[in-house]
Amino acid sequence: MTLLSIGVRPNNKIAKDEGFSLNKRGGIVADDLCQTDDKDIYAVGDVIGVKDFINGNETMIPLAGPANKQGRAVAANMLGKKEEKYRSTIGTSVARIFDLTVSAVGSNEKILKREGYVYKKDYYVVILHPMSHAGYFPGALPMTIKLIFTSDGEILGGQIVGYDGVDKRIDTLVAIIYFKGSVYDLSKLELAYAPPYSSAKDTMNFVGYLATNVLENLTDPVLVSEYLENKEKYQLLDMREKEEPIAGSIPSSINILLTKLRNRLGELSKEKHYLVYCAVGLRGYISERILKQKGFKVSNLIGGYRTYMDLTEDSFADSINTSQDKFEGGKEAVENSQAYNIIELLNVCGLSCHGSIVGVSKKYKR
């Protein structure tokens, strides 16, 4: 099944016929009191243009929350109560798609590029793949978080996708943005913790840590798109455990276990620019710090191998040659194979990063 959500158009026929001012997308122009050109006529909701909280430009953001706030403000103003102004819309949204929850707030990269923002000049990006709560407590599920911020630490926007706890994380980000907090403030928030709900280092604190690491030049992040456009610039180092690349790796990678890295520094050249990666980014960052302290030129692939696969899996699948995948041997071979068809149950729920793959490998060896 394919779902296409193209967007909405404002139902502006009455306003257009009466000659009211409209913006370039057909929305009715209204001031911060929600008054139109005729001050006795108010307009609210999906039909009006609003001020973008992030960049200050006029835009259209059709959401129920802002519409209700505008309605309350208009009612107060019409009744002569304390004047209420609707100043701007951040654009906070959340939706459930089957068992996934997707959410966003503020500006995404598409909007920023349209407004003339340049990556690593006007804004930076971090991507991480945390669990919804402490991994040792049953039921932890993965999520993906993307944060966009400026060199001053101002948060421009973020997106989160996952199964559990997505809504409360995006709301945390909304509060920071609304009160003009920075990534440093995000890293210091004291958020509720108990193993069924979060981790001692809360997911949103961790997002702040990653962003501050970028601003403090503790890491040189490289997006997957950057690497794909400049493959010849880097020598890839896969820092995962030896069992993990069996499930897949980026072509031309050299596999050096993080736990063995210090003992294998002599195999590396200070003339090369290394791009390290692991499953989701943490071990890549640790490897980057070790190598930099030893004088190597090194960067870290943002989001690790999981992000790489998320962005390239279609081309990866197309490149697989399945012509040789034929079963031969007839009835006897089938019967022999079924004799060894043993089903093993292995609970790897809640294991972060490489734990599940290593667990499967150990079971297989037994």
Side-chain angles (χ1 to χ4, degrees), residues 24-161:
K24 61 183 180 180
R25 294 180 60 182
I28 299 172
V29 175
D31 59 20
D32 55 7
L33 297 176
C34 295
Q35 291 175 311
T36 63
D37 295 336
D38 185 329
K39 299 307 178 183
D40 292 324
I41 298 178
Y42 295 79
V44 300
D46 298 353
V47 77
I48 70 170
V50 295
K51 182 179 178 181
D52 188 308
F53 184 93
I54 302 297
N55 57 41
N57 297 332
E58 186 175 6
T59 186
M60 299 287 293
I61 304 178
L63 292 170
N68 277 270
K69 292 177 179 65
Q70 293 157 12
R72 176 185 171 88
V74 166
N77 295 334
M78 291 175 66
L79 293 172
K81 303 296 183 181
K82 181 180 179 181
E83 184 177 86
E84 288 192 32
K85 294 184 177 181
Y86 185 82
R87 302 187 184 280
S88 57
T89 300
I90 301 178
T92 310
S93 61
V94 64
R96 182 173 177 177
I97 303 175
F98 301 109
D99 55 350
L100 272 177
T101 298
V102 297
S103 63
V105 63
S107 295
N108 56 37
E109 281 199 271
K110 182 178 180 180
I111 293 174
L112 293 175
K113 290 176 180 178
R114 187 177 68 207
E115 297 293 332
Y117 287 67
V118 178
Y119 175 61
K120 284 189 175 178
K121 177 183 177 183
D122 301 306
Y123 72 93
Y124 293 89
V125 170
V126 292
I127 298 173
L128 67 159
H129 304 278
M131 304 301 282
S132 56
H133 59 249
Y136 57 82
F137 191 90
L141 296 170
M143 66 175 68
T144 296
I145 302 176
K146 178 177 181 179
L147 185 74
I148 307 172
F149 55 98
T150 70
S151 57
D152 296 325
E154 176 189 356
I155 298 173
L156 299 175
Q159 298 93 47
I160 308 178
V161 179

Side-chain angles (χ1 to χ4, degrees), residues 1 51 82-83 90 162 179 201 216 281 305 319:
M1 179 171 63
K51 182 179 178 181
K82 181 180 179 181
E83 184 177 86
I90 301 178
F179 290 106
K201 284 190 289 189
E216 299 297 329
Y305 183 66
S319 67

Side-chain angles (χ1 to χ4, degrees), residues 90-307:
I90 301 178
T92 310
S93 61
V94 64
R96 182 173 177 177
I97 303 175
F98 301 109
D99 55 350
L100 272 177
T101 298
V102 297
S103 63
V105 63
S107 295
N108 56 37
E109 281 199 271
K110 182 178 180 180
I111 293 174
L112 293 175
K113 290 176 180 178
R114 187 177 68 207
E115 297 293 332
Y117 287 67
V118 178
Y119 175 61
K120 284 189 175 178
K121 177 183 177 183
D122 301 306
Y123 72 93
Y124 293 89
V125 170
V126 292
I127 298 173
L128 67 159
H129 304 278
M131 304 301 282
S132 56
H133 59 249
Y136 57 82
F137 191 90
L141 296 170
M143 66 175 68
T144 296
I145 302 176
K146 178 177 181 179
L147 185 74
I148 307 172
F149 55 98
T150 70
S151 57
D152 296 325
E154 176 189 356
I155 298 173
L156 299 175
Q159 298 93 47
I160 308 178
V161 179
Y163 298 92
D164 181 45
V166 171
D167 52 341
K168 73 173 184 176
R169 268 66 187 230
I170 205 70
D171 285 341
T172 300
L173 204 52
V174 174
I176 287 286
I177 293 175
Y178 184 82
F179 290 106
K180 301 293 184 179
S182 69
V183 295
Y184 294 96
D185 297 308
L186 185 61
S187 70
K188 296 173 183 177
L189 280 181
E190 184 179 339
L191 300 167
Y193 162 66
Y197 306 105
S198 186
S199 300
K201 284 190 289 189
D202 188 88
T203 294
M204 299 314 295
N205 293 144
F206 221 96
V207 176
Y209 296 149
L210 263 65
T212 57
N213 284 348
V214 172
L215 297 183
E216 299 297 329
N217 295 315
L218 292 175
T219 182
D220 177 27
V222 172
L223 292 170
V224 171
S225 58
E226 286 184 276
Y227 163 69
L228 294 176
E229 293 171 0
N230 300 279
K231 291 183 179 181
E232 69 286 345
K233 179 179 178 180
Y234 306 102
Q235 171 58 62
L236 288 163
L237 292 182
D238 184 346
M239 313 310 300
R240 298 175 295 168
E241 295 296 308
K242 61 183 180 181
E243 295 89 355
E244 294 177 82
I246 296 173
S249 63
I250 303 176
S252 303
S253 299
I254 298 174
N255 182 216
I256 298 181
L257 280 62
L258 170 59
T259 51
K260 306 291 184 182
L261 179 58
R262 287 186 172 88
N263 296 328
R264 297 183 61 180
L265 293 175
E267 302 174 26
L268 304 177
S269 170
K270 293 186 177 180
E271 302 300 318
K272 295 183 178 181
H273 188 163
Y274 292 104
L275 180 59
V276 296
Y277 72 93
C278 62
V280 296
L282 177 58
R283 286 173 290 168
Y285 170 70
I286 296 171
S287 303
E288 179 188 14
R289 295 303 306 154
I290 292 172
L291 290 171
K292 281 184 173 178
Q293 288 166 6
K294 296 297 181 179
F296 291 94
K297 188 175 183 181
V298 57
S299 301
N300 187 18
L301 187 66
I302 295 179
Y305 183 66
R306 184 176 299 178
T307 298

